[in-house]
Amino acid sequence: MNIHTLGDSLGPSLAVRMSGAAGGWSSLSLKPVTPTRNMPKESPLAMALQIVVPFLLAGFGTVSAGMVLDIVQHWDAFKYITEIFILVPALLGLKGNLEMTLASRLSTAVNVGKMDSPIEKWNLIIGNLALKQVQATVVGFLAAVAAVVLGWIPEGKFQMSHAVLLCSASVATAFIASMLQGFIMVGVIVGSKKTGINPDNVATPIAASFGDLITLAILAWISQGLYNYSHPYVSSLVCAFFLSLTPVWMVISSKHPASRTLLYSGWEPVITAMVISSIGGLILDKTVSDPNLAGIVVYTPVINGIGGNLVAIQSSRISTHLHFHSAPGEVPEEAKGCYYPCRTFYGTGANHRSAQVLLLLVLPGHLIFLYTIHLMKSGHTTLTPIFMTVYLAAALLQVFLLLCIADWMVYSMWRSGKDPDSFSIPYLTALGDLLGTALLALSFQFLWYIGDQDSDVGD
């Protein structure tokens, strides 16, 4: 057993203690001693009730984001610089890369007792918020670079003014949205702890409740503003200002041991997730440019957001369970051997009931959100029976695949010594964006081919 690996996973406060100390390690055998703190117990009904409210709140947030995207797609910046659509999944995905990851880390910290001390609590919060700002700025810049490259490759055209505007809008949006959502997230975690609610059930969906809407609104406002003031020096100065703040956040983050390790080793998942989401953005960009598939815009944030929210809950719950009952590098008996999908939803494991609850939420949840969009007269698609059937099938397949991938991925990362709180959610939410956008594009293409087409609703 590598003590340093365990220390990085569970935090800076972990030390080698004498045998018999609560939650400690034997100084002679270095074997884990049974902790005095118990895993929070909850009935399936209590778990479902805790999940449903933030799930619906998050869903209405994604519906609002879809309506905003449906409106701003007609703005000049979006019409003449279509690469902005490539940015949309990558920037909206930051809630999975950063906010949900922060929520998962702090939820585990609350459940294992690492935020009982006020000093340790604020060290964790300040260090993680500073780390998040560094990651948001860097990922925002790289997302813009990816958008420029992915937009240039198919058409072979490159405009420097467009590239500078994309970089500036992406960096500014990532920085501002990340800071706002970080403060909200800390408030949710601290509030959950005080009210006795399991933060694993509520933190990650609330992280996404208004994340999509805030991020998309900021992106649209900044992009249009920079497009109106089309002088390239304005965009360059905005980008340079936010990038220049990065060293300050790095210094603050490096002073806190809990975030110092991730400052150097936590880049792989967020950057890889950004690339995966950008591929989904390329699919969205090409689909939006086809007038026959105009209706996809309003539903993209919904299907992507809901899938990411549900799989983030499951990932956070599995991770907390592992932190309680296993040492890094060791997995429970039920998770050993080859993976099979039935293990996710049935068996002796601790989290198969939550997987069942989350999968059962997909159909009623999406029906509520579909009718909300319909009642608001948004979108460009009539809710015909065949459209709803195809759409719900795509949403159900997306979440089923994500829950299976999460079960396999979290245990695999734990087995390799990586903390899934920091590594799994970025991959899972990015895969949710890619699967959601791809399945939605295929669904709309299928509906067009069979004649279920209606491209003027909501105009």
Side-chain angles (χ1 to χ4, degrees):
M1 171 59 62
N2 188 330
I3 293 295
H4 297 292
T5 302
L6 183 63
D8 290 342
S9 175
L10 295 184
S13 64
L14 183 66
V16 177
R17 304 168 187 160
M18 294 300 292
S19 178
W25 286 74
S26 168
S27 59
L28 299 177
S29 64
L30 294 182
K31 293 182 179 179
V33 181
T34 303
T36 58
R37 177 179 287 265
N38 295 319
M39 183 83 176
K41 293 187 180 299
E42 54 188 349
S43 66
L45 178 60
M47 175 183 62
L49 291 176
Q50 288 184 16
I51 291 173
V52 164
V53 175
F55 167 72
L56 292 175
L57 187 62
F60 288 123
T62 61
V63 168
S64 301
M67 293 178 180
V68 170
L69 185 59
D70 192 41
I71 294 170
V72 301
Q73 68 170 320
H74 303 294
W75 289 11
D76 289 343
F78 285 78
K79 286 196 297 184
Y80 298 110
I81 308 177
T82 59
E83 292 87 352
I84 296 177
F85 284 106
I86 302 177
L87 283 178
V88 169
L91 292 179
L92 297 189
L94 282 178
K95 73 177 185 300
N97 294 356
L98 305 180
E99 275 72 37
M100 287 184 177
T101 302
L102 172 67
S104 184
R105 284 200 299 266
L106 294 183
S107 296
T108 297
V110 167
N111 282 325
V112 301
K114 286 168 57 181
M115 291 182 70
D116 292 343
S117 165
I119 295 176
E120 189 171 11
K121 176 177 72 175
W122 288 111
N123 280 341
L124 279 170
I125 289 173
I126 293 172
N128 276 284
L129 288 179
L131 170 68
K132 199 161 72 69
Q133 290 307 115
V134 176
Q135 292 178 325
T137 306
V138 173
V139 172
F141 178 77
L142 294 177
V145 173
V148 171
V149 172
L150 291 174
W152 166 69
I153 290 175
E155 299 179 3
K157 297 179 181 179
F158 177 80
Q159 289 185 262
M160 179 58 71
S161 60
H162 288 186
V164 173
L165 187 148
L166 284 171
C167 287
S168 182
S170 181
V171 170
T173 299
F175 184 95
I176 297 170
S178 180
M179 179 171 285
L180 290 174
Q181 293 174 70
F183 291 144
I184 294 172
M185 206 64 267
V186 169
V188 169
I189 296 291
V190 174
S192 297
K193 183 177 184 297
K194 289 183 177 180
T195 56
I197 296 174
N198 182 359
D200 278 326
N201 291 337
V202 301
T204 50
I206 288 180
S209 297
F210 301 106
D212 286 348
L213 181 60
I214 291 172
T215 303
L216 191 54
I218 293 173
L219 174 63
W221 178 70
I222 291 177
S223 299
Q224 187 62 35
L226 292 175
Y227 183 82
N228 291 336
Y229 296 98
S230 56
H231 204 292
Y233 289 118
V234 175
S235 297
S236 300
L237 287 174
V238 171
C239 186
F241 170 74
F242 287 106
L243 289 175
S244 67
L245 296 176
T246 303
V248 177
W249 300 116
M250 291 179 68
V251 170
I252 297 174
S253 178
S254 64
K255 290 183 178 180
H256 301 276
S259 55
R260 185 186 304 128
T261 301
L262 291 174
L263 183 62
Y264 298 105
S265 64
W267 292 99
E268 174 195 336
V270 294
I271 292 177
T272 305
M274 179 273 298
V275 173
I276 295 172
S277 293
S278 295
I279 297 173
L282 181 61
I283 296 173
L284 178 62
D285 181 31
K286 297 306 175 186
T287 307
V288 168
S289 62
D290 185 349
N292 296 330
L293 306 177
I296 193 174
V297 173
V298 72
Y299 300 105
T300 302
V302 179
I303 193 171
N304 292 353
I306 297 306
N309 297 345
L310 294 177
V311 75
I313 294 173
Q314 182 71 352
S315 174
S316 184
R317 291 179 60 89
I318 297 173
S319 179
T320 296
H321 179 77
L322 289 172
H323 276 285
F324 263 95
H325 299 289
S326 303
E330 301 174 1
V331 295
E333 287 296 326
E334 67 269 12
K336 293 180 179 178
C338 295
Y339 171 77
Y340 52 96
C342 289
R343 189 184 81 188
T344 301
F345 302 97
Y346 303 98
T348 59
N351 293 290
H352 66 274
R353 286 192 180 277
S354 60
Q356 294 171 0
V357 170
L358 295 171
L359 192 64
L360 289 173
L361 286 175
V362 174
L363 295 183
H366 274 289
L367 281 172
I368 292 172
F369 305 138
L370 283 174
Y371 276 104
T372 300
I373 294 172
H374 175 69
L375 292 174
M376 298 296 290
K377 301 187 184 301
S378 184
H380 303 262
T381 306
T382 303
L383 293 187
T384 62
I386 190 167
F387 167 78
M388 295 175 64
T389 301
V390 172
Y391 176 89
L392 293 174
L396 193 64
L397 177 60
Q398 177 211 28
V399 174
F400 175 82
L401 292 174
L402 287 174
L403 291 174
C404 292
I405 294 170
D407 194 16
W408 166 80
M409 182 180 290
V410 172
Y411 285 114
S412 297
M413 287 182 172
W414 186 262
R415 187 182 295 111
S416 64
K418 294 181 178 179
D419 184 357
D421 277 330
S422 299
F423 284 84
S424 63
I425 291 181
Y427 288 118
L428 292 169
T429 53
L431 286 171
D433 291 343
L434 180 58
L435 282 172
T437 306
L439 289 171
L440 200 57
L442 289 173
S443 298
F444 270 77
Q445 196 72 54
F446 172 75
L447 290 168
W448 180 261
Y449 282 140
I450 66 174
D452 190 86
Q453 48 198 246
D454 192 351
S455 61
D456 61 349
V457 176
D459 279 345

